[in-house]
Amino acid sequence: MTAVLGGYLFYEIAALLTLAATVGLVGLLLKQPLIVSFIATGILAGPGALDLVRAMEPIDLLAELGIAVLLFLVGLKLDLGMIRSVGTVALVTGLGQVAFTTAFGFLIGLALGLDTTTALYVAVALTFSSTIIIVKLLSDKREIDALHGRIALGFLIVQDLVVVFAMLVLSAIGAGSGAAEQEGIDGALNTIGAGVGLVAGVVVFIRLIATPLVERLASAPELLVSFAIGWAALLAAVGHGLGFGKELGGLLAGVCLASTPYREAIAARLSGLRDFLLLFFFVALGASLDLAVLGDAVAEAMVLALFVLIGNPLIVLAIMGAMGYTRRTGFLAGLTVAQISEFSLVFMGLGVALGHVDERALGLVTLVGLVTIAASTYMITYSHTLFALVDPMLRVFERQNTRAETNATLGPRAPDIVVFGLGRYGLAVARALSDAGHTVLGVDFSPTAVHHARAQGIDAVFGDATDADYVTHLPLGRASWAVSAVPTHDTGISQEDPGRTLLAALAAAGFEGRVAMAAHDDRSAEAITGAGVDLVLMPYRDGAARAAELVLGGALETPGPELSDADGQRGFAA
């Protein structure tokens, strides 16, 4: 195969991308997440199969950039406010799952004949679950805002914190050993001082620079994306230069921007780039694996995979049962940790780079990843059917008093109404709804509008309402209304119109509430109604009618054609 490619790098990349698309299509038909296809692509492209990879230097460079972007996006989620809001059950269950999985995994590793260091690495790798996969599956099932879905999101935040801690420990070990070899105690002290200085710089950046800088950049969305990629690469390079590793630098780059109102917009726009670059990470991983070595690890991989698929959910089920949750909620939440994630492979890769574990350990965890991700996808997809089958055996996990579930509150209340567009009209609508006692979330593509809304006490985020990936990230599960205050003009709704695009994005995000949309005239109002909007808002006409009612004590009838919602009620009934 390599001879056919002729040694030209472009041919090699083209072949890899074609292989990835082909394997991805097969995975799509099998209802498998993209990460499974990427791992399979890496193994197929490696020397044990098609042997497509020869120019390792550019592949490794793209892989390293992919890891920096991946960890940047993880850091982007680590907002202190969100960490404080995960709830007791998510914190206790998440930490409990990590602790018990590590302990039992370590004992199983020793029983399988692994040495102490390798057994510990493998055990820690088994604790990480894939955020990407869980969020996608729960979103597809419309369960992201259910109690077990919210607890699962809490698990993910706790596991992200464990990832951060694990990366810090590994980076410190790597930096400390390097310093000791070069300069002894002085080198170690210099490394510690550099780490303190880096953290101090991050704190100063968060407090004084992050929000004003990103707010200015957000006025040019393409520049914001370029800045985010450059910022991740810059801090990854700084981390590597100080001896802490590119991974920690990329993570801190995300933490720097996590407290800004623009993080969701950045995350949505970088998700595609992350997936593209991760392909090269898995290609590089596959190129380093020997299929003969993988074959030797099949028995151990099956034992560890069964532990993850069965043991991890049982650990969560037991902890949640002890805390007073029903066995159904514990089971559904527990299924979300029945797989390992891409971070497990990143973690093992760091261990290989530091010389703590060998390639066989990395291959072992890779096999476990393939099995658990593939199997858990079907387990989560058909979770309710599976629960019905095993329910009689789960009664031991449920206490008589399940008051904890009845009283469960996880984090801030999700919005009742989402308002897109925070200009003068949209902001006035948001304020009126908020004053009426509703929880409102505003969305606008203008940093100035977001800043102004927040100054008036309206919870607002920066984002593009026509970006389907971004809309998917919004907390729409409990929202009964989505209000678009960006008026549709007299051209009606075309395929390129923001109104139609927003409707499509809401549908893709699984929004099940009602939609209100502003229009300037009768023609665009009719087009909006035909596109499936539940309520048409006519800012000028409605405002004039209301003003006339105030002047004449409500005696004047509203002129013009009547525009009503599905129930025949005029106006906005939240």
Side-chain angles (χ1 to χ4, degrees), residues 320-363:
M320 290 186 63
M323 294 182 69
Y325 286 83
T326 64
R327 60 185 182 274
R328 180 180 183 276
T329 299
F331 178 81
L332 295 178
L335 288 184
T336 63
V337 295
Q339 96 280 135
I340 65 174
S341 77
E342 62 277 6
F343 282 112
S344 303
L345 305 183
V346 174
F347 179 78
M348 294 301 294
L350 282 177
V352 172
L354 292 173
H356 296 166
V357 296
D358 56 21
E359 296 288 348
R360 187 178 186 278
L362 177 58

mmCIF file of all heavy atoms in Angstrom, residues 320-363:
data_model
loop_
_atom_site.group_PDB
_atom_site.id
_atom_site.type_symbol
_atom_site.label_atom_id
_atom_site.label_comp_id
_atom_site.label_asym_id
_atom_site.label_seq_id
_atom_site.Cartn_x
_atom_site.Cartn_y
_atom_site.Cartn_z
ATOM 1 N N MET A 320 -25.533 5.490 44.921
ATOM 2 C CA MET A 320 -26.766 6.282 44.825
ATOM 3 C C MET A 320 -27.891 5.654 45.636
ATOM 4 O O MET A 320 -28.722 6.363 46.227
ATOM 5 C CB MET A 320 -27.174 6.432 43.356
ATOM 6 C CG MET A 320 -26.243 7.318 42.559
ATOM 7 S SD MET A 320 -26.820 7.629 40.866
ATOM 8 C CE MET A 320 -28.345 8.514 41.169
ATOM 9 N N GLY A 321 -27.929 4.327 45.682
ATOM 10 C CA GLY A 321 -28.923 3.668 46.518
ATOM 11 C C GLY A 321 -28.726 3.996 47.988
ATOM 12 O O GLY A 321 -29.691 4.258 48.713
ATOM 13 N N ALA A 322 -27.464 4.003 48.434
ATOM 14 C CA ALA A 322 -27.168 4.348 49.825
ATOM 15 C C ALA A 322 -27.530 5.796 50.142
ATOM 16 O O ALA A 322 -27.838 6.139 51.285
ATOM 17 C CB ALA A 322 -25.697 4.100 50.118
ATOM 18 N N MET A 323 -27.517 6.664 49.121
ATOM 19 C CA MET A 323 -27.847 8.076 49.320
ATOM 20 C C MET A 323 -29.349 8.341 49.238
ATOM 21 O O MET A 323 -29.782 9.478 49.429
ATOM 22 C CB MET A 323 -27.120 8.929 48.281
ATOM 23 C CG MET A 323 -25.605 8.921 48.424
ATOM 24 S SD MET A 323 -24.816 10.005 47.203
ATOM 25 C CE MET A 323 -25.325 11.620 47.813
ATOM 26 N N GLY A 324 -30.146 7.309 48.936
ATOM 27 C CA GLY A 324 -31.586 7.475 48.942
ATOM 28 C C GLY A 324 -32.228 7.672 47.587
ATOM 29 O O GLY A 324 -33.346 8.193 47.496
ATOM 30 N N TYR A 325 -31.553 7.232 46.516
ATOM 31 C CA TYR A 325 -32.130 7.330 45.176
ATOM 32 C C TYR A 325 -32.708 5.981 44.766
ATOM 33 O O TYR A 325 -32.257 4.921 45.218
ATOM 34 C CB TYR A 325 -31.069 7.786 44.163
ATOM 35 C CG TYR A 325 -30.738 9.249 44.300
ATOM 36 C CD1 TYR A 325 -29.817 9.678 45.253
ATOM 37 C CD2 TYR A 325 -31.354 10.205 43.506
ATOM 38 C CE1 TYR A 325 -29.514 11.022 45.402
ATOM 39 C CE2 TYR A 325 -31.060 11.547 43.640
ATOM 40 C CZ TYR A 325 -30.148 11.959 44.594
ATOM 41 O OH TYR A 325 -29.867 13.279 44.745
ATOM 42 N N THR A 326 -33.692 6.012 43.882
ATOM 43 C CA THR A 326 -34.316 4.769 43.431
ATOM 44 C C THR A 326 -33.349 3.975 42.570
ATOM 45 O O THR A 326 -32.412 4.515 41.985
ATOM 46 C CB THR A 326 -35.584 5.060 42.612
ATOM 47 O OG1 THR A 326 -35.224 5.775 41.417
ATOM 48 C CG2 THR A 326 -36.575 5.889 43.410
ATOM 49 N N ARG A 327 -33.608 2.688 42.487
ATOM 50 C CA ARG A 327 -32.731 1.831 41.699
ATOM 51 C C ARG A 327 -32.805 2.184 40.214
ATOM 52 O O ARG A 327 -31.823 2.011 39.483
ATOM 53 C CB ARG A 327 -33.082 0.366 41.926
ATOM 54 C CG ARG A 327 -34.505 -0.024 41.535
ATOM 55 C CD ARG A 327 -34.783 -1.477 41.916
ATOM 56 N NE ARG A 327 -36.109 -1.919 41.532
ATOM 57 C CZ ARG A 327 -37.201 -1.745 42.266
ATOM 58 N NH1 ARG A 327 -37.099 -1.098 43.429
ATOM 59 N NH2 ARG A 327 -38.376 -2.200 41.867
ATOM 60 N N ARG A 328 -33.945 2.691 39.775
ATOM 61 C CA ARG A 328 -34.065 3.073 38.361
ATOM 62 C C ARG A 328 -33.139 4.239 38.035
ATOM 63 O O ARG A 328 -32.397 4.198 37.049
ATOM 64 C CB ARG A 328 -35.514 3.452 38.027
ATOM 65 C CG ARG A 328 -35.725 3.863 36.571
ATOM 66 C CD ARG A 328 -37.193 4.219 36.311
ATOM 67 N NE ARG A 328 -37.415 4.549 34.916
ATOM 68 C CZ ARG A 328 -37.194 5.748 34.396
ATOM 69 N NH1 ARG A 328 -36.748 6.739 35.173
ATOM 70 N NH2 ARG A 328 -37.411 5.973 33.118
ATOM 71 N N THR A 329 -33.174 5.287 38.857
ATOM 72 C CA THR A 329 -32.296 6.438 38.619
ATOM 73 C C THR A 329 -30.831 6.027 38.731
ATOM 74 O O THR A 329 -29.998 6.435 37.916
ATOM 75 C CB THR A 329 -32.615 7.560 39.625
ATOM 76 O OG1 THR A 329 -33.972 7.976 39.442
ATOM 77 C CG2 THR A 329 -31.700 8.750 39.415
ATOM 78 N N GLY A 330 -30.507 5.217 39.736
ATOM 79 C CA GLY A 330 -29.122 4.770 39.895
ATOM 80 C C GLY A 330 -28.647 3.931 38.729
ATOM 81 O O GLY A 330 -27.508 4.070 38.271
ATOM 82 N N PHE A 331 -29.535 3.065 38.222
ATOM 83 C CA PHE A 331 -29.157 2.218 37.086
ATOM 84 C C PHE A 331 -28.919 3.043 35.829
ATOM 85 O O PHE A 331 -27.913 2.867 35.129
ATOM 86 C CB PHE A 331 -30.252 1.181 36.846
ATOM 87 C CG PHE A 331 -29.996 0.278 35.675
ATOM 88 C CD1 PHE A 331 -29.150 -0.813 35.790
ATOM 89 C CD2 PHE A 331 -30.595 0.518 34.449
ATOM 90 C CE1 PHE A 331 -28.902 -1.648 34.703
ATOM 91 C CE2 PHE A 331 -30.373 -0.310 33.364
ATOM 92 C CZ PHE A 331 -29.516 -1.404 33.495
ATOM 93 N N LEU A 332 -29.860 3.962 35.522
ATOM 94 C CA LEU A 332 -29.727 4.773 34.313
ATOM 95 C C LEU A 332 -28.499 5.680 34.378
ATOM 96 O O LEU A 332 -27.808 5.890 33.379
ATOM 97 C CB LEU A 332 -30.997 5.604 34.103
ATOM 98 C CG LEU A 332 -32.283 4.819 33.829
ATOM 99 C CD1 LEU A 332 -33.471 5.759 33.692
ATOM 100 C CD2 LEU A 332 -32.140 3.954 32.575
ATOM 101 N N ALA A 333 -28.233 6.241 35.564
ATOM 102 C CA ALA A 333 -27.035 7.066 35.710
ATOM 103 C C ALA A 333 -25.774 6.212 35.645
ATOM 104 O O ALA A 333 -24.764 6.617 35.066
ATOM 105 C CB ALA A 333 -27.091 7.840 37.030
ATOM 106 N N GLY A 334 -25.838 5.028 36.220
ATOM 107 C CA GLY A 334 -24.661 4.161 36.236
ATOM 108 C C GLY A 334 -24.228 3.690 34.864
ATOM 109 O O GLY A 334 -23.028 3.494 34.606
ATOM 110 N N LEU A 335 -25.188 3.514 33.962
ATOM 111 C CA LEU A 335 -24.830 3.075 32.615
ATOM 112 C C LEU A 335 -23.910 4.070 31.908
ATOM 113 O O LEU A 335 -23.159 3.691 31.003
ATOM 114 C CB LEU A 335 -26.091 2.865 31.768
ATOM 115 C CG LEU A 335 -26.959 1.643 32.096
ATOM 116 C CD1 LEU A 335 -28.098 1.543 31.104
ATOM 117 C CD2 LEU A 335 -26.137 0.356 32.091
ATOM 118 N N THR A 336 -23.972 5.337 32.306
ATOM 119 C CA THR A 336 -23.167 6.347 31.626
ATOM 120 C C THR A 336 -21.676 6.211 31.933
ATOM 121 O O THR A 336 -20.860 6.840 31.254
ATOM 122 C CB THR A 336 -23.627 7.765 31.999
ATOM 123 O OG1 THR A 336 -23.446 7.983 33.394
ATOM 124 C CG2 THR A 336 -25.088 7.964 31.631
ATOM 125 N N VAL A 337 -21.313 5.428 32.947
ATOM 126 C CA VAL A 337 -19.892 5.232 33.244
ATOM 127 C C VAL A 337 -19.442 3.835 32.827
ATOM 128 O O VAL A 337 -18.392 3.359 33.275
ATOM 129 C CB VAL A 337 -19.585 5.470 34.741
ATOM 130 C CG1 VAL A 337 -19.840 6.914 35.104
ATOM 131 C CG2 VAL A 337 -20.405 4.544 35.642
ATOM 132 N N ALA A 338 -20.212 3.191 31.959
ATOM 133 C CA ALA A 338 -19.889 1.835 31.523
ATOM 134 C C ALA A 338 -18.976 1.826 30.313
ATOM 135 O O ALA A 338 -19.075 0.951 29.454
ATOM 136 C CB ALA A 338 -21.172 1.061 31.223
ATOM 137 N N GLN A 339 -18.113 2.817 30.220
ATOM 138 C CA GLN A 339 -17.128 2.840 29.130
ATOM 139 C C GLN A 339 -15.959 3.719 29.543
ATOM 140 O O GLN A 339 -16.079 4.485 30.498
ATOM 141 C CB GLN A 339 -17.748 3.319 27.835
ATOM 142 C CG GLN A 339 -17.594 4.782 27.478
ATOM 143 C CD GLN A 339 -18.573 5.670 28.207
ATOM 144 O OE1 GLN A 339 -18.198 6.700 28.720
ATOM 145 N NE2 GLN A 339 -19.837 5.288 28.266
ATOM 146 N N ILE A 340 -14.830 3.563 28.874
ATOM 147 C CA ILE A 340 -13.708 4.460 29.105
ATOM 148 C C ILE A 340 -13.649 5.448 27.941
ATOM 149 O O ILE A 340 -14.361 5.296 26.951
ATOM 150 C CB ILE A 340 -12.368 3.709 29.275
ATOM 151 C CG1 ILE A 340 -11.969 3.001 27.982
ATOM 152 C CG2 ILE A 340 -12.462 2.714 30.427
ATOM 153 C CD1 ILE A 340 -10.577 2.360 28.064
ATOM 154 N N SER A 341 -12.813 6.467 28.080
ATOM 155 C CA SER A 341 -12.868 7.565 27.121
ATOM 156 C C SER A 341 -11.549 7.761 26.396
ATOM 157 O O SER A 341 -10.558 7.063 26.643
ATOM 158 C CB SER A 341 -13.246 8.865 27.850
ATOM 159 O OG SER A 341 -12.133 9.382 28.543
ATOM 160 N N GLU A 342 -11.563 8.763 25.517
ATOM 161 C CA GLU A 342 -10.338 9.130 24.814
ATOM 162 C C GLU A 342 -9.254 9.585 25.784
ATOM 163 O O GLU A 342 -8.056 9.426 25.522
ATOM 164 C CB GLU A 342 -10.641 10.232 23.793
ATOM 165 C CG GLU A 342 -11.168 11.534 24.370
ATOM 166 C CD GLU A 342 -12.647 11.531 24.645
ATOM 167 O OE1 GLU A 342 -13.291 10.475 24.505
ATOM 168 O OE2 GLU A 342 -13.167 12.595 25.018
ATOM 169 N N PHE A 343 -9.664 10.111 26.942
ATOM 170 C CA PHE A 343 -8.673 10.546 27.928
ATOM 171 C C PHE A 343 -7.924 9.369 28.534
ATOM 172 O O PHE A 343 -6.800 9.518 28.990
ATOM 173 C CB PHE A 343 -9.348 11.359 29.030
ATOM 174 C CG PHE A 343 -9.652 12.761 28.622
ATOM 175 C CD1 PHE A 343 -10.952 13.178 28.476
ATOM 176 C CD2 PHE A 343 -8.635 13.650 28.360
ATOM 177 C CE1 PHE A 343 -11.245 14.470 28.081
ATOM 178 C CE2 PHE A 343 -8.913 14.941 27.959
ATOM 179 C CZ PHE A 343 -10.215 15.355 27.822
ATOM 180 N N SER A 344 -8.565 8.213 28.570
ATOM 181 C CA SER A 344 -7.875 7.023 29.059
ATOM 182 C C SER A 344 -6.661 6.729 28.182
ATOM 183 O O SER A 344 -5.581 6.377 28.682
ATOM 184 C CB SER A 344 -8.833 5.834 29.054
ATOM 185 O OG SER A 344 -9.984 6.106 29.829
ATOM 186 N N LEU A 345 -6.830 6.897 26.867
ATOM 187 C CA LEU A 345 -5.729 6.645 25.941
ATOM 188 C C LEU A 345 -4.677 7.747 26.027
ATOM 189 O O LEU A 345 -3.479 7.477 25.941
ATOM 190 C CB LEU A 345 -6.266 6.525 24.515
ATOM 191 C CG LEU A 345 -7.381 5.484 24.308
ATOM 192 C CD1 LEU A 345 -7.766 5.410 22.848
ATOM 193 C CD2 LEU A 345 -6.942 4.125 24.807
ATOM 194 N N VAL A 346 -5.142 8.999 26.199
ATOM 195 C CA VAL A 346 -4.188 10.103 26.383
ATOM 196 C C VAL A 346 -3.365 9.874 27.648
ATOM 197 O O VAL A 346 -2.152 10.062 27.677
ATOM 198 C CB VAL A 346 -4.935 11.446 26.442
ATOM 199 C CG1 VAL A 346 -3.975 12.587 26.792
ATOM 200 C CG2 VAL A 346 -5.636 11.738 25.123
ATOM 201 N N PHE A 347 -4.046 9.469 28.709
ATOM 202 C CA PHE A 347 -3.383 9.221 29.995
ATOM 203 C C PHE A 347 -2.335 8.119 29.850
ATOM 204 O O PHE A 347 -1.200 8.262 30.331
ATOM 205 C CB PHE A 347 -4.442 8.837 31.031
ATOM 206 C CG PHE A 347 -3.892 8.539 32.395
ATOM 207 C CD1 PHE A 347 -3.517 9.563 33.247
ATOM 208 C CD2 PHE A 347 -3.767 7.232 32.833
ATOM 209 C CE1 PHE A 347 -3.022 9.303 34.512
ATOM 210 C CE2 PHE A 347 -3.278 6.949 34.089
ATOM 211 C CZ PHE A 347 -2.897 7.988 34.938
ATOM 212 N N MET A 348 -2.700 7.034 29.193
ATOM 213 C CA MET A 348 -1.742 5.930 29.003
ATOM 214 C C MET A 348 -0.610 6.357 28.084
ATOM 215 O O MET A 348 0.545 5.948 28.266
ATOM 216 C CB MET A 348 -2.460 4.712 28.430
ATOM 217 C CG MET A 348 -3.484 4.083 29.362
ATOM 218 S SD MET A 348 -2.802 3.533 30.942
ATOM 219 C CE MET A 348 -1.703 2.208 30.377
ATOM 220 N N GLY A 349 -0.921 7.183 27.080
ATOM 221 C CA GLY A 349 0.134 7.685 26.200
ATOM 222 C C GLY A 349 1.165 8.506 26.953
ATOM 223 O O GLY A 349 2.370 8.431 26.675
ATOM 224 N N LEU A 350 0.705 9.298 27.924
ATOM 225 C CA LEU A 350 1.645 10.049 28.757
ATOM 226 C C LEU A 350 2.526 9.108 29.565
ATOM 227 O O LEU A 350 3.722 9.352 29.746
ATOM 228 C CB LEU A 350 0.878 10.982 29.697
ATOM 229 C CG LEU A 350 0.325 12.275 29.090
ATOM 230 C CD1 LEU A 350 -0.478 13.037 30.139
ATOM 231 C CD2 LEU A 350 1.444 13.142 28.559
ATOM 232 N N GLY A 351 1.896 8.045 30.066
ATOM 233 C CA GLY A 351 2.677 7.067 30.817
ATOM 234 C C GLY A 351 3.763 6.420 29.976
ATOM 235 O O GLY A 351 4.883 6.193 30.444
ATOM 236 N N VAL A 352 3.426 6.133 28.713
ATOM 237 C CA VAL A 352 4.432 5.571 27.796
ATOM 238 C C VAL A 352 5.537 6.588 27.545
ATOM 239 O O VAL A 352 6.737 6.248 27.557
ATOM 240 C CB VAL A 352 3.765 5.149 26.467
ATOM 241 C CG1 VAL A 352 4.828 4.741 25.443
ATOM 242 C CG2 VAL A 352 2.789 4.007 26.705
ATOM 243 N N ALA A 353 5.165 7.857 27.310
ATOM 244 C CA ALA A 353 6.159 8.901 27.053
ATOM 245 C C ALA A 353 7.092 9.101 28.228
ATOM 246 O O ALA A 353 8.293 9.386 28.050
ATOM 247 C CB ALA A 353 5.448 10.213 26.711
ATOM 248 N N LEU A 354 6.578 8.933 29.456
ATOM 249 C CA LEU A 354 7.409 9.098 30.651
ATOM 250 C C LEU A 354 8.198 7.828 30.990
ATOM 251 O O LEU A 354 9.025 7.849 31.905
ATOM 252 C CB LEU A 354 6.530 9.481 31.847
ATOM 253 C CG LEU A 354 5.871 10.865 31.801
ATOM 254 C CD1 LEU A 354 4.892 11.042 32.951
ATOM 255 C CD2 LEU A 354 6.948 11.953 31.844
ATOM 256 N N GLY A 355 7.930 6.745 30.275
ATOM 257 C CA GLY A 355 8.642 5.508 30.530
ATOM 258 C C GLY A 355 8.102 4.713 31.704
ATOM 259 O O GLY A 355 8.742 3.770 32.168
ATOM 260 N N HIS A 356 6.888 5.060 32.163
ATOM 261 C CA HIS A 356 6.317 4.353 33.312
ATOM 262 C C HIS A 356 5.655 3.047 32.906
ATOM 263 O O HIS A 356 5.616 2.100 33.696
ATOM 264 C CB HIS A 356 5.289 5.237 34.011
ATOM 265 C CG HIS A 356 5.876 6.473 34.613
ATOM 266 N ND1 HIS A 356 5.111 7.542 35.053
ATOM 267 C CD2 HIS A 356 7.166 6.827 34.863
ATOM 268 C CE1 HIS A 356 5.895 8.485 35.541
ATOM 269 N NE2 HIS A 356 7.139 8.080 35.423
ATOM 270 N N VAL A 357 5.081 3.002 31.703
ATOM 271 C CA VAL A 357 4.434 1.796 31.192
ATOM 272 C C VAL A 357 4.912 1.554 29.771
ATOM 273 O O VAL A 357 5.492 2.442 29.132
ATOM 274 C CB VAL A 357 2.888 1.913 31.230
ATOM 275 C CG1 VAL A 357 2.382 2.039 32.659
ATOM 276 C CG2 VAL A 357 2.408 3.111 30.404
ATOM 277 N N ASP A 358 4.650 0.348 29.264
ATOM 278 C CA ASP A 358 5.114 0.019 27.921
ATOM 279 C C ASP A 358 3.960 0.035 26.927
ATOM 280 O O ASP A 358 2.804 0.288 27.276
ATOM 281 C CB ASP A 358 5.829 -1.342 27.920
ATOM 282 C CG ASP A 358 4.945 -2.462 28.464
ATOM 283 O OD1 ASP A 358 3.696 -2.296 28.473
ATOM 284 O OD2 ASP A 358 5.482 -3.500 28.880
ATOM 285 N N GLU A 359 4.285 -0.268 25.668
ATOM 286 C CA GLU A 359 3.290 -0.246 24.597
ATOM 287 C C GLU A 359 2.193 -1.295 24.812
ATOM 288 O O GLU A 359 1.053 -1.094 24.398
ATOM 289 C CB GLU A 359 3.969 -0.490 23.248
ATOM 290 C CG GLU A 359 4.969 0.583 22.833
ATOM 291 C CD GLU A 359 4.285 1.870 22.420
ATOM 292 O OE1 GLU A 359 3.048 1.843 22.249
ATOM 293 O OE2 GLU A 359 4.968 2.885 22.272
ATOM 294 N N ARG A 360 2.551 -2.389 25.467
ATOM 295 C CA ARG A 360 1.535 -3.428 25.696
ATOM 296 C C ARG A 360 0.415 -2.911 26.591
ATOM 297 O O ARG A 360 -0.754 -3.226 26.374
ATOM 298 C CB ARG A 360 2.182 -4.661 26.318
ATOM 299 C CG ARG A 360 1.224 -5.851 26.425
ATOM 300 C CD ARG A 360 1.916 -7.081 27.003
ATOM 301 N NE ARG A 360 1.027 -8.238 26.953
ATOM 302 C CZ ARG A 360 0.072 -8.497 27.845
ATOM 303 N NH1 ARG A 360 -0.109 -7.655 28.870
ATOM 304 N NH2 ARG A 360 -0.678 -9.563 27.725
ATOM 305 N N ALA A 361 0.765 -2.106 27.591
ATOM 306 C CA ALA A 361 -0.259 -1.540 28.476
ATOM 307 C C ALA A 361 -1.166 -0.588 27.703
ATOM 308 O O ALA A 361 -2.389 -0.566 27.905
ATOM 309 C CB ALA A 361 0.403 -0.815 29.645
ATOM 310 N N LEU A 362 -0.569 0.202 26.807
ATOM 311 C CA LEU A 362 -1.359 1.102 25.976
ATOM 312 C C LEU A 362 -2.288 0.313 25.070
ATOM 313 O O LEU A 362 -3.470 0.662 24.899
ATOM 314 C CB LEU A 362 -0.431 1.989 25.149
ATOM 315 C CG LEU A 362 -1.095 2.950 24.150
ATOM 316 C CD1 LEU A 362 -2.055 3.893 24.853
ATOM 317 C CD2 LEU A 362 -0.027 3.740 23.386
ATOM 318 N N GLY A 363 -1.783 -0.770 24.472
ATOM 319 C CA GLY A 363 -2.627 -1.612 23.627
ATOM 320 C C GLY A 363 -3.754 -2.267 24.407
ATOM 321 O O GLY A 363 -4.884 -2.384 23.908
#
